[in-house]
Amino acid sequence: MDTPANDHTATPAQRALDALTQNTEDTTALDTLATSEVLIPVPDDAADEDTTVALPVLEQQDGAPVVPVFTSETEMAELLPFVSRYRLVPLGALAAQWPDGDLSLSIDASSTHPLTLTSEGVRTLLARPQG
């Protein structure tokens, strides 16, 4: 998908992230987040016909690998203004297939409601049964 004009309306995922800043054990917010779709940046040089989702891995200041995902196009443009394409993926489905190792997940890293989870946190908090 290409990125259209910005929309500043809070998504359910953003409201869940806001709730988690107040209470990290808010199960309703975690459920909402797990069932929300997130935007995974796609490099401009990736082939359009490629149906697999490649996780973009960035390096944090301490050298640890992190996968950035976003709750809206606006959030993605704040951190990665040069990325114009993305794939929408249910966060719970992504978490259910999260790789082993030290790969963290960062949701809306440049926002007022960022959430970064360790690999274990991704699997235990977000990879929940859907439905």
mmCIF file with all atom_site columns, all heavy atoms in Angstrom, residues 115-129:
data_model
loop_
_atom_site.group_PDB
_atom_site.id
_atom_site.type_symbol
_atom_site.label_atom_id
_atom_site.label_alt_id
_atom_site.label_comp_id
_atom_site.label_asym_id
_atom_site.label_entity_id
_atom_site.label_seq_id
_atom_site.pdbx_PDB_ins_code
_atom_site.Cartn_x
_atom_site.Cartn_y
_atom_site.Cartn_z
_atom_site.occupancy
_atom_site.B_iso_or_equiv
_atom_site.pdbx_formal_charge
_atom_site.auth_seq_id
_atom_site.auth_comp_id
_atom_site.auth_asym_id
_atom_site.auth_atom_id
_atom_site.pdbx_PDB_model_num
ATOM 1   N N   . LEU A 1 115 ? 5.841  1.452   22.655 1.00 0.00 ? 115 LEU A N   1
ATOM 2   C CA  . LEU A 1 115 ? 5.939  0.210   23.419 1.00 0.00 ? 115 LEU A CA  1
ATOM 3   C C   . LEU A 1 115 ? 6.990  -0.651  22.750 1.00 0.00 ? 115 LEU A C   1
ATOM 4   O O   . LEU A 1 115 ? 6.911  -0.918  21.548 1.00 0.00 ? 115 LEU A O   1
ATOM 5   C CB  . LEU A 1 115 ? 4.589  -0.526  23.438 1.00 0.00 ? 115 LEU A CB  1
ATOM 6   C CG  . LEU A 1 115 ? 4.567  -1.880  24.146 1.00 0.00 ? 115 LEU A CG  1
ATOM 7   C CD1 . LEU A 1 115 ? 4.851  -1.718  25.643 1.00 0.00 ? 115 LEU A CD1 1
ATOM 8   C CD2 . LEU A 1 115 ? 3.239  -2.586  23.937 1.00 0.00 ? 115 LEU A CD2 1
ATOM 9   N N   . THR A 1 116 ? 7.995  -1.056  23.518 1.00 0.00 ? 116 THR A N   1
ATOM 10  C CA  . THR A 1 116 ? 9.005  -1.977  23.017 1.00 0.00 ? 116 THR A CA  1
ATOM 11  C C   . THR A 1 116 ? 8.970  -3.217  23.885 1.00 0.00 ? 116 THR A C   1
ATOM 12  O O   . THR A 1 116 ? 8.978  -3.127  25.111 1.00 0.00 ? 116 THR A O   1
ATOM 13  C CB  . THR A 1 116 ? 10.414 -1.342  23.044 1.00 0.00 ? 116 THR A CB  1
ATOM 14  O OG1 . THR A 1 116 ? 10.394 -0.180  22.211 1.00 0.00 ? 116 THR A OG1 1
ATOM 15  C CG2 . THR A 1 116 ? 11.455 -2.309  22.517 1.00 0.00 ? 116 THR A CG2 1
ATOM 16  N N   . LEU A 1 117 ? 8.877  -4.353  23.234 1.00 0.00 ? 117 LEU A N   1
ATOM 17  C CA  . LEU A 1 117 ? 8.808  -5.640  23.925 1.00 0.00 ? 117 LEU A CA  1
ATOM 18  C C   . LEU A 1 117 ? 9.974  -6.516  23.526 1.00 0.00 ? 117 LEU A C   1
ATOM 19  O O   . LEU A 1 117 ? 10.387 -6.524  22.361 1.00 0.00 ? 117 LEU A O   1
ATOM 20  C CB  . LEU A 1 117 ? 7.503  -6.370  23.566 1.00 0.00 ? 117 LEU A CB  1
ATOM 21  C CG  . LEU A 1 117 ? 6.205  -5.689  23.959 1.00 0.00 ? 117 LEU A CG  1
ATOM 22  C CD1 . LEU A 1 117 ? 5.032  -6.414  23.318 1.00 0.00 ? 117 LEU A CD1 1
ATOM 23  C CD2 . LEU A 1 117 ? 6.054  -5.668  25.469 1.00 0.00 ? 117 LEU A CD2 1
ATOM 24  N N   . THR A 1 118 ? 10.475 -7.274  24.487 1.00 0.00 ? 118 THR A N   1
ATOM 25  C CA  . THR A 1 118 ? 11.495 -8.271  24.181 1.00 0.00 ? 118 THR A CA  1
ATOM 26  C C   . THR A 1 118 ? 10.855 -9.383  23.365 1.00 0.00 ? 118 THR A C   1
ATOM 27  O O   . THR A 1 118 ? 9.625  -9.471  23.261 1.00 0.00 ? 118 THR A O   1
ATOM 28  C CB  . THR A 1 118 ? 12.067 -8.883  25.468 1.00 0.00 ? 118 THR A CB  1
ATOM 29  O OG1 . THR A 1 118 ? 11.006 -9.579  26.139 1.00 0.00 ? 118 THR A OG1 1
ATOM 30  C CG2 . THR A 1 118 ? 12.674 -7.832  26.374 1.00 0.00 ? 118 THR A CG2 1
ATOM 31  N N   . SER A 1 119 ? 11.673 -10.244 22.826 1.00 0.00 ? 119 SER A N   1
ATOM 32  C CA  . SER A 1 119 ? 11.170 -11.379 22.059 1.00 0.00 ? 119 SER A CA  1
ATOM 33  C C   . SER A 1 119 ? 10.194 -12.210 22.896 1.00 0.00 ? 119 SER A C   1
ATOM 34  O O   . SER A 1 119 ? 9.124  -12.593 22.436 1.00 0.00 ? 119 SER A O   1
ATOM 35  C CB  . SER A 1 119 ? 12.345 -12.229 21.582 1.00 0.00 ? 119 SER A CB  1
ATOM 36  O OG  . SER A 1 119 ? 11.912 -13.254 20.742 1.00 0.00 ? 119 SER A OG  1
ATOM 37  N N   . GLU A 1 120 ? 10.566 -12.471 24.150 1.00 0.00 ? 120 GLU A N   1
ATOM 38  C CA  . GLU A 1 120 ? 9.694  -13.243 25.039 1.00 0.00 ? 120 GLU A CA  1
ATOM 39  C C   . GLU A 1 120 ? 8.394  -12.490 25.313 1.00 0.00 ? 120 GLU A C   1
ATOM 40  O O   . GLU A 1 120 ? 7.309  -13.067 25.324 1.00 0.00 ? 120 GLU A O   1
ATOM 41  C CB  . GLU A 1 120 ? 10.408 -13.533 26.357 1.00 0.00 ? 120 GLU A CB  1
ATOM 42  C CG  . GLU A 1 120 ? 9.566  -14.343 27.320 1.00 0.00 ? 120 GLU A CG  1
ATOM 43  C CD  . GLU A 1 120 ? 10.287 -14.610 28.632 1.00 0.00 ? 120 GLU A CD  1
ATOM 44  O OE1 . GLU A 1 120 ? 11.528 -14.625 28.656 1.00 0.00 ? 120 GLU A OE1 1
ATOM 45  O OE2 . GLU A 1 120 ? 9.586  -14.802 29.636 1.00 0.00 ? 120 GLU A OE2 1
ATOM 46  N N   . GLY A 1 121 ? 8.488  -11.187 25.514 1.00 0.00 ? 121 GLY A N   1
ATOM 47  C CA  . GLY A 1 121 ? 7.304  -10.369 25.750 1.00 0.00 ? 121 GLY A CA  1
ATOM 48  C C   . GLY A 1 121 ? 6.348  -10.381 24.579 1.00 0.00 ? 121 GLY A C   1
ATOM 49  O O   . GLY A 1 121 ? 5.132  -10.414 24.753 1.00 0.00 ? 121 GLY A O   1
ATOM 50  N N   . VAL A 1 122 ? 6.890  -10.353 23.364 1.00 0.00 ? 122 VAL A N   1
ATOM 51  C CA  . VAL A 1 122 ? 6.049  -10.406 22.164 1.00 0.00 ? 122 VAL A CA  1
ATOM 52  C C   . VAL A 1 122 ? 5.234  -11.686 22.186 1.00 0.00 ? 122 VAL A C   1
ATOM 53  O O   . VAL A 1 122 ? 4.012  -11.669 22.008 1.00 0.00 ? 122 VAL A O   1
ATOM 54  C CB  . VAL A 1 122 ? 6.908  -10.332 20.884 1.00 0.00 ? 122 VAL A CB  1
ATOM 55  C CG1 . VAL A 1 122 ? 6.052  -10.596 19.645 1.00 0.00 ? 122 VAL A CG1 1
ATOM 56  C CG2 . VAL A 1 122 ? 7.597  -8.989  20.768 1.00 0.00 ? 122 VAL A CG2 1
ATOM 57  N N   . ARG A 1 123 ? 5.900  -12.803 22.411 1.00 0.00 ? 123 ARG A N   1
ATOM 58  C CA  . ARG A 1 123 ? 5.209  -14.105 22.368 1.00 0.00 ? 123 ARG A CA  1
ATOM 59  C C   . ARG A 1 123 ? 4.231  -14.278 23.526 1.00 0.00 ? 123 ARG A C   1
ATOM 60  O O   . ARG A 1 123 ? 3.151  -14.828 23.348 1.00 0.00 ? 123 ARG A O   1
ATOM 61  C CB  . ARG A 1 123 ? 6.228  -15.241 22.328 1.00 0.00 ? 123 ARG A CB  1
ATOM 62  C CG  . ARG A 1 123 ? 6.938  -15.355 20.996 1.00 0.00 ? 123 ARG A CG  1
ATOM 63  C CD  . ARG A 1 123 ? 7.795  -16.623 20.917 1.00 0.00 ? 123 ARG A CD  1
ATOM 64  N NE  . ARG A 1 123 ? 8.854  -16.641 21.898 1.00 0.00 ? 123 ARG A NE  1
ATOM 65  C CZ  . ARG A 1 123 ? 10.060 -16.113 21.726 1.00 0.00 ? 123 ARG A CZ  1
ATOM 66  N NH1 . ARG A 1 123 ? 10.331 -15.517 20.588 1.00 0.00 ? 123 ARG A NH1 1
ATOM 67  N NH2 . ARG A 1 123 ? 10.967 -16.177 22.651 1.00 0.00 ? 123 ARG A NH2 1
ATOM 68  N N   . THR A 1 124 ? 4.583  -13.842 24.721 1.00 0.00 ? 124 THR A N   1
ATOM 69  C CA  . THR A 1 124 ? 3.718  -14.100 25.872 1.00 0.00 ? 124 THR A CA  1
ATOM 70  C C   . THR A 1 124 ? 2.575  -13.092 25.996 1.00 0.00 ? 124 THR A C   1
ATOM 71  O O   . THR A 1 124 ? 1.482  -13.451 26.410 1.00 0.00 ? 124 THR A O   1
ATOM 72  C CB  . THR A 1 124 ? 4.514  -14.109 27.191 1.00 0.00 ? 124 THR A CB  1
ATOM 73  O OG1 . THR A 1 124 ? 5.173  -12.861 27.357 1.00 0.00 ? 124 THR A OG1 1
ATOM 74  C CG2 . THR A 1 124 ? 5.513  -15.243 27.220 1.00 0.00 ? 124 THR A CG2 1
ATOM 75  N N   . LEU A 1 125 ? 2.796  -11.836 25.610 1.00 0.00 ? 125 LEU A N   1
ATOM 76  C CA  . LEU A 1 125 ? 1.759  -10.821 25.781 1.00 0.00 ? 125 LEU A CA  1
ATOM 77  C C   . LEU A 1 125 ? 0.850  -10.663 24.575 1.00 0.00 ? 125 LEU A C   1
ATOM 78  O O   . LEU A 1 125 ? -0.322 -10.331 24.712 1.00 0.00 ? 125 LEU A O   1
ATOM 79  C CB  . LEU A 1 125 ? 2.391  -9.470  26.105 1.00 0.00 ? 125 LEU A CB  1
ATOM 80  C CG  . LEU A 1 125 ? 3.137  -9.388  27.422 1.00 0.00 ? 125 LEU A CG  1
ATOM 81  C CD1 . LEU A 1 125 ? 3.797  -8.027  27.577 1.00 0.00 ? 125 LEU A CD1 1
ATOM 82  C CD2 . LEU A 1 125 ? 2.204  -9.659  28.593 1.00 0.00 ? 125 LEU A CD2 1
ATOM 83  N N   . LEU A 1 126 ? 1.387  -10.878 23.383 1.00 0.00 ? 126 LEU A N   1
ATOM 84  C CA  . LEU A 1 126 ? 0.605  -10.580 22.168 1.00 0.00 ? 126 LEU A CA  1
ATOM 85  C C   . LEU A 1 126 ? 0.189  -11.802 21.376 1.00 0.00 ? 126 LEU A C   1
ATOM 86  O O   . LEU A 1 126 ? -0.761 -11.732 20.615 1.00 0.00 ? 126 LEU A O   1
ATOM 87  C CB  . LEU A 1 126 ? 1.400  -9.623  21.266 1.00 0.00 ? 126 LEU A CB  1
ATOM 88  C CG  . LEU A 1 126 ? 1.738  -8.277  21.894 1.00 0.00 ? 126 LEU A CG  1
ATOM 89  C CD1 . LEU A 1 126 ? 2.580  -7.458  20.932 1.00 0.00 ? 126 LEU A CD1 1
ATOM 90  C CD2 . LEU A 1 126 ? 0.484  -7.523  22.304 1.00 0.00 ? 126 LEU A CD2 1
ATOM 91  N N   . ALA A 1 127 ? 0.892  -12.914 21.508 1.00 0.00 ? 127 ALA A N   1
ATOM 92  C CA  . ALA A 1 127 ? 0.551  -14.108 20.740 1.00 0.00 ? 127 ALA A CA  1
ATOM 93  C C   . ALA A 1 127 ? -0.518 -14.888 21.494 1.00 0.00 ? 127 ALA A C   1
ATOM 94  O O   . ALA A 1 127 ? -0.261 -15.890 22.114 1.00 0.00 ? 127 ALA A O   1
ATOM 95  C CB  . ALA A 1 127 ? 1.782  -14.967 20.504 1.00 0.00 ? 127 ALA A CB  1
ATOM 96  N N   . ARG A 1 128 ? -1.709 -14.372 21.431 1.00 0.00 ? 128 ARG A N   1
ATOM 97  C CA  . ARG A 1 128 ? -2.813 -14.998 22.147 1.00 0.00 ? 128 ARG A CA  1
ATOM 98  C C   . ARG A 1 128 ? -3.810 -15.561 21.137 1.00 0.00 ? 128 ARG A C   1
ATOM 99  O O   . ARG A 1 128 ? -3.848 -15.118 19.995 1.00 0.00 ? 128 ARG A O   1
ATOM 100 C CB  . ARG A 1 128 ? -3.464 -14.023 23.094 1.00 0.00 ? 128 ARG A CB  1
ATOM 101 C CG  . ARG A 1 128 ? -3.699 -12.663 22.505 1.00 0.00 ? 128 ARG A CG  1
ATOM 102 C CD  . ARG A 1 128 ? -4.175 -11.652 23.498 1.00 0.00 ? 128 ARG A CD  1
ATOM 103 N NE  . ARG A 1 128 ? -3.093 -11.331 24.422 1.00 0.00 ? 128 ARG A NE  1
ATOM 104 C CZ  . ARG A 1 128 ? -3.273 -11.085 25.713 1.00 0.00 ? 128 ARG A CZ  1
ATOM 105 N NH1 . ARG A 1 128 ? -4.455 -11.080 26.213 1.00 0.00 ? 128 ARG A NH1 1
ATOM 106 N NH2 . ARG A 1 128 ? -2.262 -10.821 26.497 1.00 0.00 ? 128 ARG A NH2 1
ATOM 107 N N   . PRO A 1 129 ? -4.615 -16.510 21.554 1.00 0.00 ? 129 PRO A N   1
ATOM 108 C CA  . PRO A 1 129 ? -5.610 -17.077 20.632 1.00 0.00 ? 129 PRO A CA  1
ATOM 109 C C   . PRO A 1 129 ? -6.510 -15.973 20.078 1.00 0.00 ? 129 PRO A C   1
ATOM 110 O O   . PRO A 1 129 ? -6.995 -15.140 20.812 1.00 0.00 ? 129 PRO A O   1
ATOM 111 C CB  . PRO A 1 129 ? -6.408 -18.046 21.491 1.00 0.00 ? 129 PRO A CB  1
ATOM 112 C CG  . PRO A 1 129 ? -5.507 -18.360 22.661 1.00 0.00 ? 129 PRO A CG  1
ATOM 113 C CD  . PRO A 1 129 ? -4.667 -17.131 22.874 1.00 0.00 ? 129 PRO A CD  1
#
